[in-house]
Structures are given as C-alpha cells and as structure tokens.
Amino acid sequence: YTTTGIYPVILQNTVGCDSIATLNLTVNSTSASTTSKIICSNQLPYLWNGNNYNAADTFTVTLQNAAGCDSVATLILTVNTSPKVVINNPAPVCAPATVDLTAPAITAGSDAGLTFTYWMDAAASIPLINPKAVGASGTYYIKSSVVNNCTSTEPVEVRVVIIASTPGVRYTTITTEPNTPVQLLARNIGINFLWTPPAGLNFNSVKDPVFQYDRQTEYTVKITTDSGCLVVDTLLVKVNVQQAAIVRSDLFVPKAWTPNGDGHNDKLLPLTVNIRELKYFRVFNRWGQLVFETNAIGLGWDGLFKGKPQVMDVYTWIAEAVGADGTTIKRSGNSILIK
C-alpha cells in the first residue's frame, strides 16, 4: 500500500474460517527546504543546522521533520570578501603628548580606498570623540567602510600607551669650598643624563659627576627615562666665595721685539694670564697685509714673511682668547720690530 486509505484484509482464523480485518493506513509526506544566505568572509565559519561551513557552496543535509519523516534541507551559501584591515599599534608616547589614530601609518597595509571610523567598543556603538588626539591609555577599535556590503566588524585593537610624565625637582643645594672635589648625584630614574652647563664637572653625561670649581653654578640635569621621556631637574652648587681666590684672565703683547736670533725677545707673541684658549693672534703690516696668524698659545712671529725678514716698522696686531673663567677677551695694539 502506498497511499493513505482504508483497506479490508481477508485472513483465516485458527479454526480455518475466513476473518475480515480492516487496515487504516496514513502515509505522511517528506518535506524539503532551501535557505539562501549571503555573509561576509569575516563571518566564517557559518553555523547551519549544527554544522560549520567555511566557504561558499551549496550544501544539503537530511533531517527528520515533526512527523518523523526525512526532510531534505539545502543551504545556498554566498560569501562576499570583507575588506582587509591591518592595524599597526602606535609607539608609546609621554604625557602630555597624544596619539593620532587617524595617521596613515596606523592602517598601513590595509586595502586601498577604505575610510575608517573610530570607536570605544568592539560593537562600534560608542564613537571615539577625538581619534586625532588620544590622551588616555586603553584599547580602541577601528571599523572599515563598506566593501561588497561588508565591513571589518571583528575587534581590531589599537593599544595606546600614555606614559605619565615625571615632574622635575630641585635638589637640595650643595655648599662647598672653592676647587674642592664634591660628588653630585642625579635621581636614579633614567638611563641617560646630561648636566648643563658642563663647567666645573669632570663629566657632564653621567649620573654622578664630580664638581671642582671656584664659582657658584646652577645646573640643569636632563634625564631620559627608559621609556624615552625627558625629565629636567635642577641643582645649585654654592662656593664659599669669601675663601675663593679671584681668578682674572688677560693677555698682553709687548710694545717691541727684536727678531735677531739672540734668544731674547725674538718673537712677537701674546703673554697669557689664565687663558684657556687662544682664538687667534694676527699681525698686519702698515698696508693691512696679514703677515702672521696663530691660535696656539706660546707661538709667535719671528719677523719673517714668505721666508723674508721684514723691515723695521710698526706692526698692528689683534687677538681674541677665552679665559679660565669663561670670559672672552679681545685685545689690539701696535708693536715695533727693532733690528
């Protein structure tokens, strides 16, 4: 029997007599369904009827309907390509600096032509108010524009690290005697140190330089932390000036010299007093021609110009030097070459 109906059936009972039985037959039909689904590639795998599907195709499964009969279900799965979004986490910055999440470097490597929006949450429901100037550490999210009716909706984390700035401090003032070594010490909060000015210090790029000087100096200490932040501290070193010797720097040039080779007053040169550096000493003849020049302390003019002895005359000189106290000294005058 293949259809629903009432069918009489003649049987034979146990004593050999005919017996009529009736069959009430109900035939339930099978069922079939087709589901068409369009998704984005970043939604794979797609879960359907308890199975995961990882690519576009047509899939068929046999299920059981409510009547207990086989039911054939078909899935037509279409997968659109989602835009490619690449996130490059920004380098840490030091407060009060901020991070610009809209900078092209943040999304370098993403598909061309995309536009981006910026959010506080992975669901992209709370907008980031100022993505150009993020000033707080945290995780933020970038969502791409629509391509093939798809966006990159999975969380793309951008971790911004804002390093709290360390305020500069003024160290306790140090008082010392003139030209007496005393060790200075910066805070142990960094990896690089720079003391300015360098005057009076044995080294100015260490944490603990030695001060040996005859005058009061205020130093700034620029400390670079391991995170790259800059901290500027201050230290005043006082010198007991009542006991400090007065150091004066100067230079003098004789009014005359005798380049005759007798070993006495043979060269015209500056006589230096507490001079640290001679910038130049220049001698000119009466026509303004430069006949001698040096920047070495202790060297002078022997009266020769281009290998020839010069005539007895008045020569003009100028000089500039730096004293031991750091002052610049400029002098000029005339000296007579005597034979």
Side-chain angles (χ1 to χ4, degrees):
Y1 306 98
T2 60
T3 60
T4 298
I6 299 174
Y7 302 94
V9 179
I10 299 174
L11 303 173
Q12 197 173 59
N13 60 18
T14 56
V15 294
C17 298
D18 289 341
S19 176
I20 299 175
T22 302
L23 171 65
N24 290 321
L25 178 64
T26 301
V27 179
N28 293 324
S29 61
T30 60
S31 60
S33 65
T34 300
T35 300
S36 295
K37 186 67 177 181
I38 300 174
I39 64 171
C40 299
S41 58
N42 58 7
Q43 293 175 297
L44 293 173
Y46 180 70
L47 179 63
W48 180 70
N49 283 322
N51 296 311
N52 285 317
Y53 299 94
N54 292 289
D57 207 338
T58 300
F59 305 95
T60 300
V61 295
T62 301
L63 306 173
Q64 196 172 65
N65 61 19
C69 300
D70 287 345
S71 174
V72 178
T74 300
L75 170 66
I76 302 173
L77 182 63
T78 302
V79 180
N80 289 336
T81 301
S82 299
K84 176 186 176 184
V85 176
V86 176
I87 298 301
N88 305 293
N89 290 327
V93 299
C94 303
T98 58
V99 172
D100 182 5
L101 294 188
T102 69
I106 298 292
T107 51
S110 301
D111 286 343
L114 295 177
T115 57
F116 300 99
T117 52
Y118 304 86
W119 306 88
M120 297 287 291
D121 62 323
S125 62
I126 306 173
L128 181 60
I129 300 302
N130 189 5
K132 289 182 175 291
V134 178
S137 297
T139 301
Y140 303 91
Y141 299 85
I142 297 178
K143 183 178 179 181
S144 72
S145 54
V146 176
V147 175
N148 298 325
N149 293 318
C150 294
T151 61
S152 287
T153 55
E154 73 279 2
V156 280
E157 299 184 0
V158 178
R159 187 162 296 279
V160 179
V161 179
I162 305 296
I163 302 168
S165 60
T166 302
V169 300
R170 175 175 285 276
Y171 301 157
T172 301
T173 298
I174 294 176
T175 302
T176 185
E177 303 303 321
N179 297 312
T180 301
V182 59
Q183 190 169 67
L184 312 183
L185 185 64
R187 287 191 289 170
N188 188 26
I189 59 172
I191 55 177
N192 291 309
F193 302 85
L194 182 64
W195 297 72
T196 53
L201 303 178
N202 61 340
F203 301 103
N204 75 322
S205 59
V206 297
K207 182 176 67 174
D208 52 354
V210 174
F211 173 90
Q212 188 172 356
Y213 206 26
D214 61 357
R215 61 193 58 225
Q216 175 176 301
T217 307
E218 182 168 89
Y219 295 100
T220 58
V221 190
K222 296 180 179 179
I223 305 172
T224 304
T225 67
D226 56 1
S227 57
C229 299
L230 184 65
V231 182
V232 181
D233 292 346
T234 308
L235 170 63
L236 175 64
V237 181
K238 290 184 176 181
V239 175
N240 287 326
V241 294
Q242 295 85 353
Q243 301 179 22
I246 299 176
V247 179
R248 290 178 179 165
S249 302
D250 210 340
L251 62 82
F252 307 91
V253 178
K255 296 291 185 181
W257 85 106
T258 56
N260 54 16
D262 64 358
H264 300 287
N265 199 25
D266 285 331
K267 294 183 179 181
L268 181 67
L269 74 162
L271 305 177
T272 60
V273 179
N274 293 319
I275 293 298
R276 184 173 69 196
E277 177 187 3
L278 179 65
K279 292 287 189 180
Y280 58 81
F281 173 62
R282 298 169 184 153
V283 183
F284 304 86
N285 60 23
R286 66 170 55 248
W287 295 280
Q289 188 176 19
L290 178 66
V291 295
F292 178 77
E293 180 177 17
T294 185
N295 63 356
I297 296 176
L299 293 184
W301 186 38
D302 59 4
L304 297 177
F305 179 56
K306 295 183 178 180
K308 296 181 179 180
Q310 297 302 292
V311 299
M312 186 170 66
D313 203 348
V314 176
Y315 292 83
T316 301
W317 56 265
I318 59 174
E320 181 178 336
V322 178
D325 56 0
T327 58
T328 298
I329 300 165
K330 292 184 178 181
R331 297 285 185 270
S332 61
N334 299 312
S335 296
I336 301 173
L337 188 157
I338 300 175
K339 293 190 175 180

